[in-house]
Amino acid sequence: MEKLVSSWFTIKTLPENYVFPAGKRPGKLHAPVSKAIPVVDLEKACGLHGRLDIIQQIMEACEDHGFFQVINHGVQATLMEDAMAVFKEFFELPGEEKSRLFSEDNSQSCRLYTSTVNYRKEEIHFWRDALTHPCRPLAECVQHWPEKPNRYREVIGALCEEVNELGSRILKLICEGLELEKGYLENELSKETSLTVNHYPPCPDPSLTLGLSKHCDPNLITLLIQGDVPGLQVLKDDEWIGVEPLPHAFVVNVGYLLHIISNGKLKGAMHRAVTNAKTTRTSAAFFINAAENSIVQPAKALVGAENPPLYKAFRYGEFFKTYASHSGDTEIVLEPYKMKY
Ligand code: OGA
Ligand code: NI
């Protein structure tokens, strides 16, 4: 429990086990907040012409950056604000309350932890606490969620329903953009949704540490509420670029599964989170994910003699195990699944 950064962050100097070696420090903390990450106005996707235009915008964003933001997406702004307030209240709960949920056992579905699942094996930790739990099917999951703050289940339950809907809208647009048969992405490949609430308290020296290391998410797509404090950065052409916090937007990114299913057409982009000295930053990531037993492989419709499959087929659960054991170095996770020609 005393491991949680949110329990002791008011110290003046960064503890040594949070100080990264020179080459691994964040470098640019204030990466240019770039307009390069496209902002897609989903309201414009009504009507055939608008829809095709939005699909094209999403495809370009997924091919160039693996990242885009969506606005006018149908999730109520007040619900998003309420949920972010509830998450903040959660991390401000007294230690005893939080300790009930603290667990370093990856198999526990609802748990609070710090840094990464590999905390015990890490030499250097990340300046981040996280609350994680599944959110689909909602009725089955909700009973395992935090009981405090009192509004948690009600508010987050309502948000999850809307986010799941938004997720399937976005998957439909991507499916169409890839010219895959209807429903190709909306089955076992996107059956699960889990939520991770990242919490980055103010840090005594943001230049020496990271909130989250460079990684690509292991799932299909991620929908992130990044709140109003900057900190998310995306790697593009070897440069870190900041993702501008936009009110009530969702940041959407392509995970490894969609990268593989699209046979490399859509980019599973590397990203990270930096900390700041003044303000607590809380973000909420909804991971739309395959069921453990689903088979993942490049879509048959996207491969052929001219475009051979880049990856072998695999069972998602197996892949995820390897991924989880490699936090901090996710690039090598794809290696065993690459075709060698
Ligand atoms: C994640 C993630 C970024 C952020 O949870 O996988 O990349 O801004 N979060 O907290
Ligand atoms: Ni991520």
Side-chain angles (χ1 to χ4, degrees):
M1 241 326 280
E2 63 289 349
K3 291 174 182 169
L4 286 174
V5 186
S6 52
S7 300
W8 52 261
F9 70 93
T10 45
I11 48 149
K12 293 271 179 302
T13 0
L14 188 68
E16 248 172 55
N17 54 354
Y18 285 80
V19 177
F20 280 80
K24 294 198 165 163
R25 291 178 192 167
K28 268 194 197 160
L29 278 175
H30 305 288
V33 170
S34 172
K35 300 279 176 210
I37 307 278
V39 179
V40 177
D41 184 347
L42 276 191
E43 215 164 56
K44 299 207 171 118
C46 350
L48 182 63
H49 183 71
R51 189 178 170 84
L52 292 179
D53 187 38
I54 292 298
I55 289 174
Q56 195 179 342
Q57 286 180 30
I58 292 179
M59 281 298 109
E60 276 172 22
C62 291
E63 287 170 31
D64 293 348
H65 293 89
F67 263 85
F68 57 98
Q69 302 210 52
V70 287
I71 54 168
N72 297 325
H73 40 60
V75 179
Q76 292 173 69
T78 46
L79 183 55
M80 293 173 79
E81 278 168 17
D82 254 12
M84 293 308 270
V86 168
F87 293 141
K88 288 200 170 105
E89 283 166 35
F90 173 85
F91 282 97
E92 284 160 8
L93 286 172
E96 334 63 278
E97 197 57 53
K98 284 190 281 186
S99 68
R100 292 203 222 171
L101 285 172
F102 186 83
S103 169
E104 293 182 328
D105 177 2
N106 205 3
S107 63
Q108 187 155 320
S109 71
C110 178
R111 68 203 160 85
L112 174 64
Y113 62 102
T114 191
S115 190
T116 76
V117 291
N118 302 314
Y119 183 93
R120 283 160 191 267
K121 288 186 254 157
E122 291 165 0
E123 262 174 66
I124 318 280
H125 306 305
F126 297 100
W127 190 264
R128 165 243 200 185
D129 293 338
L131 168 68
T132 192
H133 59 66
C135 359
R136 191 153 63 177
L138 199 54
E140 278 171 37
C141 308
V142 80
Q143 54 192 315
H144 302 293
W145 291 4
E147 287 176 83
K148 294 267 166 67
N150 292 337
R151 313 188 286 155
Y152 191 96
R153 294 180 179 184
E154 183 197 335
V155 174
I156 309 311
L159 179 68
C160 286
E161 281 195 67
E162 295 199 9
V163 171
N164 280 334
E165 227 166 90
L166 173 61
S168 64
R169 254 177 96 195
I170 294 174
L171 286 179
K172 279 191 181 71
L173 296 167
I174 294 177
C175 186
E176 228 173 297
L178 286 171
E179 296 180 20
L180 292 170
E181 69 192 72
K182 217 173 176 179
Y184 191 92
L185 299 173
E186 284 178 279
N187 45 33
E188 293 291 301
L189 292 171
S190 58
K191 205 174 163 202
E192 320 258 322
T193 306
S194 67
L195 166 63
T196 296
V197 185
N198 299 297
H199 184 80
Y200 313 93
C203 175
D205 194 341
S207 69
L208 301 178
T209 195
L210 281 164
L212 263 181
S213 66
K214 173 179 157 191
H215 69 283
C216 174
D217 298 341
N219 48 303
L220 201 57
I221 56 168
T222 306
L223 276 60
L224 178 97
I225 307 176
Q226 82 150 332
D228 45 13
V229 184
L232 172 63
Q233 299 184 340
V234 176
L235 194 63
K236 167 81 176 156
D237 302 328
D238 288 330
E239 291 261 3
W240 287 105
I241 52 177
V243 181
E244 186 182 15
L246 293 178
H248 309 122
F250 278 86
V251 180
V252 183
N253 66 279
V254 175
Y256 275 143
L257 294 194
L258 187 55
H259 170 82
I260 291 165
I261 291 164
S262 70
N263 202 31
K265 186 174 159 78
L266 308 187
K267 190 167 156 190
M270 291 292 166
H271 55 284
R272 68 178 187 180
V274 297
T275 64
N276 79 78
K278 291 210 178 89
T279 328
T280 300
R281 177 167 182 267
T282 305
S283 69
F286 293 87
F287 299 99
I288 299 187
N289 212 353
E292 226 178 281
N293 278 325
S294 39
I295 301 295
V296 179
Q297 59 190 323
K300 294 272 186 311
L302 300 180
V303 299
E306 310 246 299
N307 195 11
L310 299 176
Y311 299 94
K312 302 172 196 167
F314 56 84
R315 207 174 60 86
Y316 180 66
E318 237 163 72
F319 171 78
F320 186 74
K321 246 192 242 156
T322 326
Y323 180 92
S325 66
H326 276 94
S327 56
D329 192 1
T330 62
E331 262 160 308
I332 60 169
V333 173
L334 286 189
E335 284 308 316
Y337 303 99
K338 281 186 181 159
M339 290 290 220
K340 309 267 184 286
Y341 289 107

